[in-house]
Amino acid sequence: MLTTIIVICVVSFALIAGALWGVYGNLSNKTEGFLVALAGGALMVSAVLELIQPALEKEPIITPLIAVFAGAIVFTILDFYVKEKWSTSSGGSGLLAAITLDGLPENLALGVALISADPLTVAALSGSIVLSNLPEAAGGAKEMKADGRSSKSIIWLWTATAIVLSIAALVGYFFFDKVSNDTLDLIRCFAGGAVVASLAIEVFPKAFKEDKYWTGLATAIGLVLAFYLNTLGG
């Protein structure tokens, strides 16, 4: 139980630490772009290997792919309304939506993994989440500050997101151990679709805008790091 609480706190605190960095730290545009691209590379691996591929190995292919497409549709609609209807500019809200949509099922899966997984598997999954959350939160918080939000409101918003995702992990740990693997696989596929959409709409365009052609190298670094973490849990 103590290990579970520690892992959940570390993963969730990455959002708060990233937000503090983005609001109060010296985060240049180029560094922000590099880190966001690095997170994107990690998310590519997470989407395919941890979220989508397990379902494709067990389910008829059409069902997981429909869940992936549904996740992409929901994220795209939510991102559109956040940026075009609910605010005059994105102000980091798109990245916040990406983290939340991906994070809810991802943290549910983390909570389930903590029930019986070996330490290396838990380290691989939680490490991938931290690797993506930290720079994305930093970039999103910085954009929100540039958009005119107060530092206090930004920190509270990201803290609330971290709390919500922590609750999701605890729900997975305490209540989802009896849920069928098929249902969990579809939840993960939905998250994978949201990740794919967020990479195309939010992550890589933003990274290239800030860091230009270093984006490709940063993406590869994030991908390699996430692959390495994945092998630890293999």
Side-chain angles (χ1 to χ4, degrees):
M1 181 63 182
L2 180 60
T3 300
T4 299
I5 294 175
I6 292 173
V7 170
I8 291 173
C9 287
V10 169
V11 168
S12 299
F13 184 73
L15 289 176
I16 301 173
L20 289 169
W21 186 15
V23 171
Y24 299 110
N26 184 18
L27 184 63
S28 68
N29 289 340
K30 284 187 173 295
T31 301
E32 179 187 349
F34 190 91
L35 290 174
V36 169
L38 186 145
L43 283 170
M44 288 173 63
V45 175
S46 176
V48 175
L49 294 186
E50 297 172 11
L51 299 177
I52 299 173
Q53 183 64 29
L56 293 176
E57 294 174 351
K58 294 180 288 184
E59 302 285 341
I61 190 169
I62 188 65
T63 304
L65 295 185
I66 288 175
V68 170
F69 193 56
I73 290 174
V74 170
F75 174 82
T76 301
I77 293 173
L78 177 60
D79 193 56
F80 170 79
Y81 274 96
V82 166
K83 294 167 69 174
E84 304 293 338
K85 301 296 185 180
W86 297 340
S87 63
T88 57
S89 65
S90 64
S93 299
L95 283 176
L96 181 62
I99 290 173
T100 303
L101 268 180
D102 169 47
L104 285 173
E106 195 174 51
N107 277 267
L108 282 172
L110 175 63
V112 173
L114 289 169
I115 296 170
S116 58
D118 61 89
L120 287 179
T121 299
V122 173
L125 181 56
S126 58
S128 296
I129 297 172
V130 169
L131 188 63
S132 60
N133 281 357
L134 183 63
E136 283 195 315
K142 182 184 176 182
E143 284 191 14
M144 289 178 174
K145 186 176 181 180
D147 196 47
R149 293 177 183 261
S150 69
S151 298
K152 184 177 180 180
S153 68
I154 295 170
I155 299 303
W156 275 113
L157 181 59
W158 285 94
T159 299
T161 302
I163 292 172
V164 168
L165 296 185
S166 296
I167 292 172
L170 290 172
V171 168
Y173 181 78
F174 286 109
F175 299 106
F176 272 59
D177 58 324
K178 303 301 182 183
V179 173
S180 69
N181 289 330
D182 291 344
T183 300
L184 289 175
D185 284 339
L186 292 180
I187 292 173
R188 294 187 188 105
C189 285
F190 180 90
V195 173
V196 169
S198 73
L199 290 174
I201 297 172
E202 290 290 339
V203 177
F204 292 132
K206 170 181 173 52
F208 185 80
K209 177 183 177 182
E210 302 292 356
D211 204 31
K212 300 301 180 184
Y213 296 99
W214 285 101
T215 299
L217 178 60
T219 302
I221 293 173
L223 183 143
V224 168
L225 289 174
F227 265 120
Y228 178 70
L229 288 171
N230 188 269
T231 62
L232 291 179

